[in-house]
Amino acid sequence: MINKNLISSKIWIPPVAVFFLGIGSIHGQDTKSKKDTLNEKELDEVVVVAYGKAKRTSYTGSVATISSDKINNRPVTNITKALEGQVAGVQTTSSSGQPGSTATIRIRGIGSISASSDPLYVVDGIPFDGNLNSISPNDIESISVLKDATASALYGSRGANGIIIITTKSGKKGEARINFNISQGFSSRAVKDYEQVSTDQYFQLYWEALRNGYRSSQVNGQQAAQMATNNLISELGINPYGANYSKPVGTDGKLLPGATPLWNDDWRDVLQRVASRNQVDLDISGGSEKSNYFFSLGYLDDKGIAIESGFKKYSTRLKLNSEVKKWLNVGVNLSYTNSIQQAPTSSDSNTSNVIQAARSVPSFYPYYERNPDGSYILDGAGNRIYDFGKYRPTNALQNQNLAATLPLDKNENKEDNFSGKGFMDFTFLPELKFRTSFSVDLVNYNGHYYSNPLIGQGSEIGGSVTKSNSRTLSYTTSNILTFDKKFGKHHFNVLAGQEFYKYDYQTISGTRSQFSLPYYYEPDAAALLGSFSGNSDKVSLLSYLGKVEYDFNNTYFLSASGRADGSSRFFEDNRWGKFWSLGGSWKISNEEFIKNLNFFNQLTLRASYGGQGNDKLLQPNKLPLYYAYQELYKFYNNLGEPGAVLEKARTNGLKWETNLNLNVGLEFAVLNNRVKGNIEYFERKSQDLLFNMPVAPSLGINDFPANIGTIKNTGFEFSLFTTPIKTDNFQWNLDLNLSTLNNKITKLPKGSILTGTKLLQVGGSVYDFYIPEWAGVDASNGRPLWKTIGTDANGNTVEGTTSEYAKATRTLQGSALPKVTGGLSTSITYKNFDFSGLLTFKIGGKILDTDYTSIMHNGSAGGRAWSVEMLNRWTPENPNTDVPALSTITNNWTSNSSRFLYSGTYARLKNVSLGYTLPSDYFEKLGLKKFRIYVQAENLLTFYKHKGMDPEQALDGTTYYRYPAMRTITFGLQATL
């Protein structure tokens, strides 16, 4: 029952809130009361846009802003992972939980096939080339996402895939403030791994696989059963039931009475752990009438859930702004970060993948060597001896024990990131200003990979070491002149400028092996030189840009911008690309006929159209291709003689990929600004696609770069921001954003292009699965079936099935791209308590789970772990199933097909935070202005049907034995002096 006294003019609950809370429709408002409303200043906030700032309600472009309170308190190592679910139209995928890894971000779909679709990152007004790990979330004031042509065209080719503008904190006028934040967290898997069969179940299942494999025209069922009983232990290489049960499974396929495993060593217990996360941030800021400063220090130690994985970072930032003359402002922004990432292999099918190894080895293979009675074998010092499983089958990672070797190996990535920015603002007239700026990003990377010579696979070659070093230096110079003037009801803003960008990359790498002594990690300690390589690249971009904005009576707004980019990536005849945008908005709420309705606090209609370019062609391995128009060669050692082989053909005609963007949006605010939102439609057309066209190997090359095809991304974006309750002591905010996406190829040079499990064809998406369709299991014999499609003698389509995978017909099986993405967030403050939560979700799309297939073998991979789903395999007593019969003879049933294609729909409680700020009476005598304690959780709950797989996978929808997401529980305190 609802207390009527609580229903007052200070409480209003919109329908969206009622839906989520299920408490019925309750609303009330008092238009005379202003205390409970959101003021006009909050509504018409200033947002950071390309080369400046703008008022949200008068801006003609599409921009979304994330405030610092939604970023600073998130326990994330990389800021890209704090963006998921925060902005409509932004798809964020954290496919790896490895500490220090970066999320993949796409703004309004996939803009290219073979060129980069990454957005441009701009930090404090200057494009940023450093590692995003170097930016501490605690230093961020806000993040703006520029999505349409008007918002991003001024960045030309660099903004073709959208722009993410990061603004760092600055000092504010007044007394110096010291902020201190310390937190301690603990991490574990966000999603439990696939459930596996027990030792008892495994031995009985493998007995069945052996028996079925032995059956033939010469061996009957009884003989095959006896052979399976006799050979079971020798095939698996171990008997966990002890000497008293030398043949633990009888000829009936059942365990002998009393047979009990003497140990149960789940390898996930030794290769994975509950990890710690420690973070400390300190910043000092302040300012006067003419200057301000901000200084920060940060420390992070984020251990991974996989043993010997983690990320450690030390960071500092100094930001100074000063008015040295009435006509001159200057500023500098310097940051430095040193990071060390421990990253054992965790993202491919390599046998050294620590994530896959924990899943692959069944629990009846022990970590430590054991006696027949199950007791541990000890060395002379009484220590347990690691079991490397020389007796194990190859599929059970023979001669390998990562729990023993990883602590002795090195998988280390060290980085030094320096970023320096400086500017001078000249004021010639109140209306005329000029800014010149210079920015440099320097990244020095050092990789150190060492395999010890004592134990493990490295011991076979006396150990090995690989060291690599790369140095990336980029700088940008910018000169911008702005004119801003009002003439009565007319307002003009004009911008003109020039920019130059230079990128210089160098790398070197070498490998040696055969160490004379252990515990020496450097190449000098190894005797045999294995390989040595190195290369360098340079890229330049010269740009000229301009923009004109006009508004009449703060009601009608027009804008136009243009930019010309000259890129060294193209031949001189095609070097220059010209990009532009047109935009307009109408603040309808300023019209008298809307004001008279006394309903809308704000109503703005905006539209824009423009074109941008993309020159960032990638190689098939996703590494940059800087000189696509030139002939490129590979160099080889041919019996001591140098040789060169053509790798890329000359393509002088290669030109810019072009993005044409249409945006139409409606922004509104009603009920005294208690409900705000916007609805947008976008159409993004990419033409003259930069594409690596595959060719016949007989030509001597694998592919050549070309401009082919067109892609169109269309969709709707919806954002709603509400304040259902606002009183003196209580405030509740509830926000929802969601976006739809339809990605379609509209033009290709030929009918279709097959790339792995994907098919590119007109009418489809860039990530359409093209794999055989699973047809189930033959109930009569337990064989797997796939669908076939052919034609008969009369040309009619004939559908059938086959148990031979090679004869199966590939068909389209849906796209990896979700139809809807979004987020639901809420925040509540009650007196000194604060609570916030974020639920992210994706609807639609498919995921091909190739990780799962590794433990779904039919018995041909003896010794490899098995999923519990294999308990439902075909038998004469269980003919109606979709799991084939077991056999040691392979049937290819785990090959790519729709059988292992799962829905990508999921929801994740991404973040929950609860805090309490102590009343000032408790700490003001200590000189503290604020003291808050809090607890928060990241990736707390995941709602997903296919258990065992983390639904946050790569954009192409294919799993690849990746590091799973981590659930992190953090406790911390914040203090302000």
Side-chain angles (χ1 to χ4, degrees):
M1 186 172 181
I2 300 172
N3 187 341
K4 294 182 179 180
N5 294 326
L6 294 178
I7 304 176
S8 69
S9 62
K10 294 185 177 181
I11 300 179
W12 178 82
I13 302 179
V16 67
V18 175
F19 175 79
F20 285 106
L21 295 180
I23 61 175
S25 178
I26 304 172
H27 70 275
Q29 61 169 328
D30 182 356
T31 57
K32 295 180 180 179
S33 174
K34 298 299 181 183
K35 190 174 184 179
D36 64 322
T37 65
L38 303 179
N39 59 43
E40 185 68 23
K41 184 178 179 181
E42 288 177 284
L43 184 68
D44 198 14
E45 64 177 310
V46 174
V47 294
V48 179
V49 296
Y51 298 98
K53 297 180 180 180
K55 289 185 177 181
R56 177 182 295 278
T57 57
S58 61
Y59 189 57
T60 60
S62 178
V63 58
T65 301
I66 306 171
S67 58
S68 59
D69 61 315
K70 295 183 178 181
I71 304 168
N72 296 167
N73 296 329
R74 294 284 298 277
V76 293
T77 304
N78 191 293
I79 59 172
T80 57
K81 297 193 174 186
L83 299 181
E84 184 175 3
Q86 304 273 22
V87 177
V90 177
Q91 182 180 352
T92 304
T93 304
S94 303
S95 59
S96 175
Q98 162 69 45
S101 62
T102 302
T104 300
I105 294 179
R106 295 292 180 263
I107 298 176
R108 292 186 167 178
I110 313 298
S112 188
I113 298 176
S114 296
S116 173
S117 290
D118 291 335
L120 171 69
Y121 293 91
V122 176
V123 178
D124 292 324
I126 304 294
F128 179 72
D129 268 341
N131 193 322
L132 290 172
N133 282 326
S134 65
I135 303 175
S136 172
N138 190 68
D139 289 352
I140 295 176
E141 181 68 34
S142 68
I143 295 178
S144 294
V145 181
L146 311 185
K147 296 183 282 187
D148 72 332
T150 294
S152 56
L154 269 185
Y155 286 106
S157 63
R158 306 186 73 180
N161 296 302
I163 300 167
I164 295 177
I165 297 181
I166 300 168
T167 302
T168 60
K169 294 177 181 177
S170 298
K172 294 178 175 59
K173 177 184 174 182
E175 183 183 1
R177 297 174 66 90
I178 301 175
N179 294 303
F180 179 74
N181 184 14
I182 183 171
S183 63
Q184 168 72 60
F186 302 94
S187 303
S188 57
R189 288 184 68 113
V191 175
K192 289 184 178 180
D193 205 356
Y194 309 102
E195 188 178 355
Q196 299 182 7
V197 299
S198 66
T199 297
D200 289 350
Q201 292 168 334
Y202 193 104
F203 271 70
Q204 292 174 97
L205 288 174
Y206 197 64
W207 178 93
E208 185 177 317
L210 286 171
R211 182 201 60 185
N212 293 344
Y214 288 143
R215 279 180 175 172
S216 66
S217 58
Q218 289 80 29
V219 179
N220 59 36
Q222 183 176 356
Q223 292 172 321
Q226 186 63 58
M227 294 171 65
T229 296
N230 295 340
N231 298 331
L232 178 62
I233 297 301
S234 61
E235 288 287 338
L236 293 177
I238 195 169
N239 185 0
Y241 297 96
N244 293 333
Y245 297 92
S246 59
K247 298 179 180 180
V249 179
T251 55
D252 60 353
K254 305 296 182 182
L255 280 171
L256 299 180
T260 303
L262 301 177
W263 61 83
N264 183 45
D265 289 357
D266 190 334
W267 284 77
R268 289 170 289 195
D269 292 341
V270 293
L271 296 181
Q272 298 175 14
R273 63 192 176 185
V274 175
S276 64
R277 187 182 194 278
N278 302 291
Q279 184 170 355
V280 180
D281 291 294
L282 171 72
D283 67 70
I284 304 171
S285 63
S288 63
E289 292 287 346
K290 294 187 176 182
S291 63
N292 61 70
Y293 61 90
F294 176 86
F295 173 71
S296 70
L297 294 170
Y299 167 77
L300 172 67
D301 186 6
D302 189 5
K303 302 293 186 185
I305 59 170
I307 63 171
E308 303 302 318
S309 69
F311 183 81
K312 186 177 291 187
K313 179 176 72 174
Y314 306 87
S315 62
T316 184
R317 180 179 297 274
L318 176 63
K319 191 174 183 181
L320 302 173
N321 297 284
S322 179
E323 180 186 319
V324 296
K325 296 288 184 181
K326 289 184 178 181
W327 49 269
L328 177 62
N329 288 332
V330 299
V332 294
N333 188 349
L334 308 175
S335 67
Y336 170 75
T337 300
N338 171 261
S339 64
I340 303 174
Q341 183 186 51
Q342 307 295 338
T345 303
S346 59
S347 62
D348 58 31
S349 56
N350 194 304
T351 58
S352 62
N353 184 331
V354 63
I355 301 299
Q356 177 65 357
R359 177 186 300 139
S360 299
V361 184
S363 59
F364 54 82
Y365 292 118
Y367 329 133
Y368 302 102
E369 294 183 3
R370 293 182 181 262
N371 292 303
D373 62 358
S375 61
Y376 293 108
I377 298 176
L378 306 177
D379 61 16
N383 300 314
R384 298 173 184 176
I385 304 172
Y386 281 107
D387 191 332
F388 281 84
K390 294 182 179 180
Y391 55 85
R392 293 198 299 253
T394 302
N395 292 299
L397 305 185
Q398 188 180 66
N399 296 325
Q400 186 166 301
N401 189 325
L402 294 180
T405 57
L406 281 180
L408 298 178
D409 296 340
K410 272 186 178 293
N411 296 276
E412 186 176 80
N413 301 313
K414 291 183 178 180
E415 264 193 8
D416 294 289
N417 279 260
F418 171 78
S419 181
K421 300 176 179 64
F423 72 88
M424 291 189 295
D425 280 341
F426 298 88
T427 302
F428 303 122
L429 297 170
E431 305 85 5
L432 187 63
K433 297 181 180 180
F434 175 74
R435 167 173 284 206
T436 182
S437 62
F438 178 80
S439 172
V440 61
D441 294 310
L442 175 62
V443 180
N444 188 73
Y445 165 86
N446 185 276
H448 193 173
Y449 299 92
Y450 165 82
S451 179
N452 79 88
L454 298 176
I455 55 177
Q457 294 179 333
S459 62
E460 300 174 1
I461 57 173
S464 66
V465 61
T466 298
K467 292 202 75 172
S468 60
N469 179 267
S470 66
R471 177 182 182 272
T472 302
L473 174 66
S474 64
Y475 65 84
T476 301
T477 62
S478 178
N479 298 286
I480 305 295
L481 183 68
T482 58
F483 175 80
D484 190 278
K485 180 70 173 179
K486 286 186 177 180
F487 302 93
K489 294 183 179 181
H490 304 275
H491 177 215
F492 289 91
N493 182 280
V494 181
L495 178 150
Q498 172 269 335
E499 196 170 77
F500 179 72
Y501 167 75
K502 184 77 172 183
Y503 176 90
D504 189 336
Y505 173 79
Q506 302 173 29
T507 183
I508 193 170
S509 179
T511 299
R512 300 185 74 155
S513 60
Q514 294 187 6
F515 285 86
S516 301
L517 296 172
Y519 310 115
Y520 287 85
Y521 308 108
E522 298 297 333
D524 280 354
L528 181 63
L529 177 64
S531 65
F532 180 78
S533 62
N535 61 77
S536 62
D537 286 299
K538 292 182 179 180
V539 175
S540 299
L541 189 72
L542 177 62
S543 307
Y544 300 94
L545 58 135
K547 178 181 69 172
V548 177
E549 293 179 336
Y550 165 78
D551 76 78
F552 175 75
N553 199 27
N554 196 34
T555 302
Y556 308 100
F557 304 86
L558 295 173
S559 68
S561 66
R563 175 162 171 150
D565 282 339
S567 173
S568 64
R569 293 175 185 258
F570 298 116
F571 185 65
E572 57 186 13
D573 292 344
N574 300 315
R575 188 150 290 170
W576 285 91
K578 299 176 179 63
F579 315 109
W580 56 274
S581 75
L582 296 172
S585 64
W586 176 23
K587 193 180 291 187
I588 311 174
S589 53
N590 280 0
E591 302 287 1
E592 289 300 323
F593 67 90
I594 293 295
K595 290 181 179 180
N596 293 336
L597 296 176
N598 198 27
F599 181 73
F600 288 101
N601 303 111
Q602 192 232 328
L603 186 64
T604 301
L605 178 67
R606 59 171 57 93
S608 67
Y609 188 71
Q612 299 141 288
N614 189 354
D615 64 345
K616 300 177 182 62
L617 182 62
L618 303 176
Q619 302 177 56
N621 60 6
K622 302 305 179 182
L623 293 176
L625 183 58
Y626 295 109
Y627 311 102
Y629 66 92
Q630 297 181 355
E631 286 186 347
L632 302 178
Y633 294 87
K634 283 185 177 180
F635 298 93
Y636 292 93
N637 180 346
N638 183 18
L639 299 177
E641 295 295 329
V645 176
L646 182 66
E647 183 181 17
K648 296 286 184 184
R650 185 180 182 91
T651 52
N652 285 356
L654 197 67
K655 61 182 181 179
W656 290 86
E657 178 178 292
T658 304
N659 279 258
L660 298 173
N661 297 307
L662 169 69
N663 183 81
V664 180
L666 180 68
E667 187 170 353
F668 62 88
V670 297
L671 299 171
N672 293 326
N673 301 325
R674 296 283 288 276
V675 177
K676 302 184 295 181
N678 61 72
I679 303 171
E680 292 183 290
Y681 169 78
F682 69 88
E683 182 177 292
R684 180 184 177 197
K685 182 180 179 182
S686 303
Q687 61 188 27
D688 296 325
L689 295 176
L690 292 170
F691 185 76
N692 293 306
M693 178 67 72
V695 297
S698 59
L699 295 178
I701 57 176
N702 296 320
D703 53 63
F704 68 93
N707 293 102
I708 60 103
T710 304
I711 295 176
K712 181 184 288 187
N713 292 276
T714 58
F716 289 91
E717 296 171 1
F718 175 73
S719 300
L720 186 66
F721 310 94
T722 70
T723 304
I725 303 175
K726 184 178 176 67
T727 68
D728 290 337
N729 294 321
F730 186 89
Q731 179 169 327
W732 174 32
N733 298 319
L734 183 65
D735 304 335
L736 171 69
N737 76 80
L738 56 85
S739 55
T740 67
L741 176 65
N742 181 25
N743 175 273
K744 183 180 292 186
I745 299 172
T746 57
K747 182 181 178 182
L748 280 178
K750 59 180 183 178
S752 61
I753 300 174
L754 182 62
T755 59
T757 60
K758 308 297 189 302
L759 181 71
L760 304 176
Q761 67 174 8
V762 173
S765 82
V766 296
Y767 291 138
D768 279 351
F769 285 102
Y770 189 66
I771 52 180
E773 182 178 346
W774 174 252
V777 172
D778 191 328
S780 64
N781 55 28
R783 292 178 180 176
L785 296 174
W786 296 274
K787 189 174 181 179
T788 61
I789 302 176
T791 55
D792 61 15
N794 298 321
N796 299 316
T797 300
V798 178
E799 295 186 1
T801 59
T802 180
S803 59
E804 296 182 48
Y805 181 78
K807 295 182 179 180
T809 303
R810 285 190 176 199
T811 56
L812 291 170
Q813 298 294 332
S815 173
L817 296 174
K819 293 295 183 182
V820 179
T821 59
L824 175 66
S825 62
T826 187
S827 64
I828 298 172
T829 57
Y830 174 68
K831 294 185 177 179
N832 291 354
F833 289 94
D834 61 87
F835 170 83
S836 65
L838 172 64
L839 179 77
T840 62
F841 57 86
K842 294 181 182 179
I843 301 175
K846 299 290 184 67
I847 300 175
L848 183 63
D849 191 356
T850 57
D851 293 9
Y852 191 39
T853 58
S854 68
I855 58 172
M856 289 286 284
H857 58 94
N858 68 316
S860 58
R864 175 66 61 89
W866 251 330
S867 164
V868 293
E869 192 174 348
M870 301 306 295
L871 296 174
N872 191 37
R873 80 284 181 200
W874 180 94
T875 65
E877 298 75 30
N878 183 38
N880 299 314
T881 178
D882 65 348
V883 181
L886 300 181
S887 175
T888 51
I889 300 173
T890 184
N891 57 12
N892 295 315
W893 93 282
T894 57
S895 300
N896 293 331
S897 77
S898 62
R899 171 61 172 79
F900 300 102
L901 203 60
Y902 299 90
S903 169
T905 299
Y906 78 95
R908 173 164 276 170
L909 189 54
K910 199 69 178 178
N911 181 263
V912 176
S913 177
L914 176 64
Y916 178 74
T917 302
L918 273 67
S920 59
D921 295 344
Y922 287 91
F923 52 78
E924 63 181 4
K925 294 181 180 179
L926 301 176
L928 295 174
K929 291 183 173 64
K930 181 180 178 181
F931 190 87
R932 176 177 178 263
I933 56 176
Y934 63 90
V935 58
Q936 57 187 353
E938 191 82 2
N939 297 324
L940 184 61
L941 296 172
T942 302
F943 306 96
Y944 185 58
K945 185 176 181 180
H946 178 42
K947 303 300 182 182
M949 185 187 78
D950 192 323
E952 282 197 69
Q953 293 293 331
L955 288 170
D956 67 359
T958 303
T959 64
Y960 199 46
Y961 312 104
R962 295 180 180 88
Y963 204 117
M966 295 194 294
R967 176 190 294 118
T968 303
I969 310 297
T970 304
F971 304 88
L973 62 86
Q974 297 170 323
T976 300
L977 287 79

